[in-house]
Amino acid sequence: MTMSRAQAAAAQRALEAGYGLALEGLAGDQVLSAVAAAWTGEDDPADPRFLERVVDRLPIDESWLFREDDLWRWLDETAAPEILEAASVAARPARILSIGCSAGQEPFTAAMLFQRVLERSGIGPSAASAFVQIVGVDSSPVRIEVARTGLLSSWSVQRCRPEWLAGRVTPEHDLLGRYRVTDSVRAMCRFEV
């Protein structure tokens, strides 16, 4: 049984309402393709289990490490030291939230950046998780599971300046085209749906 246009439109409305997604940035055929790929023929377009399958098929993974270079430079030079100082005064770790974290690129970037800032103060990467805690959230359970592995595609790694990585990302020799963030970076990050 194929999905009707009315059912597809209902699924899109349910996605936008239930997940808070702004799907206008995707072409209609991209949304329709994701809805159709998740459709079993018996689904209710508003069923959360069906919508979860659709979200996992949406092409919304446009992310890489240190995306928006100017932002990360500003954070490195100005905001991150101030955030760490405020957390120190409050006698607690700095807490960072990344919404729509996809496969973890932004939280991992934040962890690497804060490690750089902490190293300038003489605090090594292995101690960084005591000073900064990062939570990444995404509506896709599949993407969150990928983020938890600490594995990234070569596309996510090779688009940034290598000096920002500073040995915190290494090729995964058993998986061609995959990279792994270091344990110290992963220790700073937690991921939730």
Side-chain angles (χ1 to χ4, degrees), residues 58 82 92 171:
L58 288 171
E82 292 173 6
R92 63 168 176 73

Side-chain angles (χ1 to χ4, degrees), residues 152-169:
L152 296 167
S153 69
S154 58
W155 191 84
S156 291
V157 174
Q158 295 171 350
R159 294 179 59 101
C160 72
R161 293 187 294 146
E163 62 268 20
W164 283 94
L165 301 178
R168 292 178 174 93
V169 178

Side-chain angles (χ1 to χ4, degrees), residues 41-108:
E42 308 265 333
D43 297 300
D44 171 356
D47 181 353
R49 292 170 299 189
F50 169 66
L51 295 175
E52 186 176 291
R53 292 194 314 269
V54 174
V55 165
D56 288 338
R57 289 167 173 81
L58 288 171
I60 50 177
D61 289 330
E62 179 74 17
S63 191
W64 59 88
L65 297 176
F66 292 98
R67 181 176 162 196
E68 306 297 335
D69 203 52
D70 290 339
L71 168 68
W72 295 106
R73 190 175 304 111
W74 170 78
L75 284 167
D76 183 52
E77 296 167 0
T78 305
E82 292 173 6
I83 291 168
L84 289 169
E85 178 63 28
S88 176
V89 168
R92 63 168 176 73
R95 292 183 216 128
I96 310 298
L97 177 63
S98 172
I99 299 173
C101 73
S102 189
Q105 294 92 334
E106 184 176 272
F108 293 143

Side-chain angles (χ1 to χ4, degrees), residues 11 13 26 32 51 56 60 80 100 122 128 135 143-144 161 176:
R13 286 190 303 275
L26 297 176
L32 186 58
L51 295 175
D56 288 338
I60 50 177
V135 176
R143 288 178 180 94
I144 289 298
R161 293 187 294 146
L176 188 62

